[in-house]
Amino acid sequence: MALIHGGQRLRIAKQFNIDEGHWLDLSTGIAPYSYPIPEIPQRIYQELPQAQDNLNRAAQHYYNATNVLATHGSQTIIKLLPQLWCELFPASTRVYVPEQGYKEHALAWQSAGFSLRYYQEELPPLSDIEAHDVLVIINPNNPTGKLYQRSQLERYQSKMVAMNGLLVLDEAFMDVITPSQSMTTTISNYKHTIVLRSFGKFFGLAGIRIGFLLAQRYWINLIHEKLGPWQVNGPAQYIAEKALADKSWQQTQQSRLQQLSQQLNITLLDNLPSNGVINITGTALFQTVYFNNAIDVESYYVQLCQQAIYVRLTDDNKALRFGLAKPEQLERLAHALLSLNH
């Protein structure tokens, strides 16, 4: 079963019969400003992609991790991991996943035959976790923005070690969290923890499809063997290496995203009906608006699409997630929000 995600602008444009070029696409959590593509040597296009020591070193430094593996985006690992875990522990049958969050996690484990145990914002009690259980945590969560502190996650990490289970941490949006609550520094000696990091969101280059697995060397070797050669194309590796090492640009991007997020939040507060909004949460890469039961949120989504503004309707139809808009786009968004009818 294919899940619905943001970023499907061509499909939405066709659905609403509005030319693709007219749309303001705020449906993803991808930064609207991207790392400038450096000049790429011609040989990189001509050669088969090879493991690059320079990329590994840049990633190790950026993620503050000893063991890294460049992959064709996090999605590759999300789909593969349940099969590998089944092979290691055939008796493992249960996985805890967030009720709200990136649904590909739940789909992958369910497709592998696991029984899903959903939790809300609060993590499942430590006492509920049994032998060989799997716990998936999206930190910070998308779309809720919920952030779990590292001290809390370390307790769950210890529990998974004791239970011979697996802790999967999806840190796709961790780049914009300051101070960082990333668990990448705690995994070198833990076979029971895996961290996934996205590259494309913070650096605004989702199209080059590269992500990173951070784990004990055991997992790095096993997954590298399963994936086979040439997982990440040469130009993507070259761009990522330069971007991960460019501290000056990263600092500029952090400041820029924080400012855009604040401007988006103000625009939403000023132009949505205050009596219909329960809460606005998120990160510096997206803002999610939760509405009360009197609001037909799906109708709001459709009305925005009819004005060629594409946002993300959450899976439960109770909220709209807005990606960052550039300053020159905010007036258009504000006007569209003011026109929404109950």
Side-chain angles (χ1 to χ4, degrees), residues 63-132:
Y63 295 114
N64 199 13
T66 304
N67 302 315
V68 302
L69 176 66
T71 68
H72 185 59
S74 298
Q75 182 62 30
T76 300
I77 307 301
I78 291 172
K79 292 189 67 175
L80 176 63
L81 192 55
Q83 304 167 31
L84 295 182
W85 188 250
C86 277
E87 294 174 8
L88 293 171
F89 296 102
S92 181
T93 60
R94 302 197 315 172
V95 57
Y96 289 92
V97 292
E99 178 73 33
Q100 293 190 72
Y102 187 55
K103 295 299 184 184
E104 294 288 350
H105 286 288
L107 177 61
W109 290 98
Q110 186 176 45
S111 299
F114 281 74
S115 174
L116 302 183
R117 299 287 189 272
Y118 287 105
Y119 63 89
Q120 303 299 321
E121 285 211 335
E122 296 305 316
L123 297 176
L126 286 168
S127 58
D128 286 358
I129 296 173
E130 300 177 357
H132 308 318

Side-chain angles (χ1 to χ4, degrees), residues 119 123 126 135 137-139 147-160 167 169 171 174 181-183 186 193:
Y119 63 89
L123 297 176
L126 286 168
L135 172 59
I137 302 175
I138 303 170
N139 196 41
L147 179 67
Y148 301 98
Q149 298 299 304
R150 185 163 47 199
S151 57
Q152 180 185 17
L153 297 181
E154 287 173 349
R155 293 194 292 273
Y156 281 85
Q157 186 179 51
S158 298
K159 181 70 172 184
M160 303 317 285
L167 176 61
L169 295 161
E171 296 184 351
M174 185 60 73
Q181 296 300 317
S182 175
M183 291 285 282
T186 71
T193 305

Side-chain angles (χ1 to χ4, degrees), residues 31-40 199 202-205 208 235-236 238-244 246-250 252-253 256:
Y33 296 105
S34 61
Y35 186 78
I37 303 297
E39 183 176 350
I40 301 174
F199 173 86
F202 174 73
F203 290 95
L205 293 172
I208 71 173
Y238 186 85
I239 295 167
E241 174 200 331
K242 301 301 181 186
L244 291 170
D246 193 337
K247 300 301 181 184
S248 176
W249 186 91
Q250 293 163 20
T252 299
Q253 181 79 330
R256 186 163 46 194

Side-chain angles (χ1 to χ4, degrees), residues 269-300:
L269 287 171
D270 287 350
N271 295 284
L272 282 168
S274 58
N275 59 345
V277 174
I278 296 177
N279 194 20
I280 300 179
T281 64
T283 72
L285 281 167
F286 63 84
Q287 297 283 304
T288 304
V289 183
Y290 289 87
F291 298 89
N292 62 39
N293 292 333
I295 300 297
D296 184 345
V297 182
E298 188 171 4
S299 174
Y300 274 13

